[in-house]
């Protein structure tokens, strides 16, 4: 079965950095997409990054230039490095998987189309 476990969240000051991790198991090799979503206090969940099976990353405009997503295939871990954090980056971060080789930018605003999720990790950025 697919299992996703997020970690690395915490509380940081404005301008700080965090590296989130998503340990994945039960996923097909090089035939899936991993997304990172942020859920705001209001409950809206929006995609902020994704990486395809070929390790091609992409980012939402809100984090472009401040975040990177990468994968350690040997350990089956997907990382999201977050730099220059702002209070607007606060929220619960989830990784999600789609059993499709291609990622879809449209899925960033349609989390209901994804079926494999982790438990989330809290990120709080103070002013």
């Amino acid at each position: 079965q697919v299992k996703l476990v997020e970690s690395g969240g915490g509380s940081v000051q404005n301008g700080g950095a965090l590296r989130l991790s998503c340990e994945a198991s039960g996923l097909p090799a090089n035939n899936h997409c991993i997304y990172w979503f942020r859920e705001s206090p209001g409950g809206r969940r929006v995609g902020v990054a994704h990486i395809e099976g070929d390790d091609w990353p992409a980012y939402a405009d809100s984090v472009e230039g401040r975040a990177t997503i990468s994968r350690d295939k040997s350990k089956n871990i997907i990382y999201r490095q977050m730099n220059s954090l702002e209070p607007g980056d606060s929220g619960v971060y989830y990784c999600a998987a789609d059993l499709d080789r291609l990622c879809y930018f449209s899925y960033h605003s349609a989390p209901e189309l994804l079926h494999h999720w982790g438990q989330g990790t809290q990120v709080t950025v103070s002013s």
Side-chain angles (χ1 to χ4, degrees):
Q1 294 183 336
V2 175
K3 183 179 180 180
L4 304 171
V5 181
E6 303 96 335
S7 62
S11 181
V12 299
Q13 296 292 315
N14 186 31
L18 289 170
R19 187 177 73 168
L20 307 182
S21 298
C22 175
E23 293 190 51
S25 61
L27 297 175
N30 298 317
N31 191 34
H32 61 271
C33 179
I34 300 294
Y35 297 83
W36 279 102
F37 282 77
R38 179 179 64 237
E39 183 173 301
S40 66
R44 184 184 182 188
R45 192 175 295 185
V46 179
V48 293
H50 65 240
I51 185 167
E52 294 183 339
D54 288 336
D55 297 330
W56 291 356
Y59 308 94
D61 291 341
S62 61
V63 300
E64 183 71 49
R66 300 189 296 116
T68 57
I69 183 170
S70 61
R71 171 155 52 194
D72 184 339
K73 293 183 178 180
S74 64
K75 298 180 179 179
N76 203 23
I77 300 175
I78 296 87
Y79 298 103
R80 183 170 184 264
Q81 179 69 42
M82 305 166 61
N83 300 318
S84 301
L85 287 166
E86 305 168 351
D89 295 316
S90 298
V92 180
Y93 283 76
Y94 298 87
C95 58
D98 185 29
L99 303 185
D100 191 323
R101 184 171 182 82
L102 297 178
C103 296
Y104 298 93
F105 286 97
S106 62
Y107 278 29
H108 285 204
S109 59
E112 69 275 8
L113 299 179
L114 300 171
H115 306 295
H116 306 288
W117 296 86
Q119 295 297 311
T121 184
Q122 177 72 49
V123 172
T124 302
V125 184
S126 302
S127 62

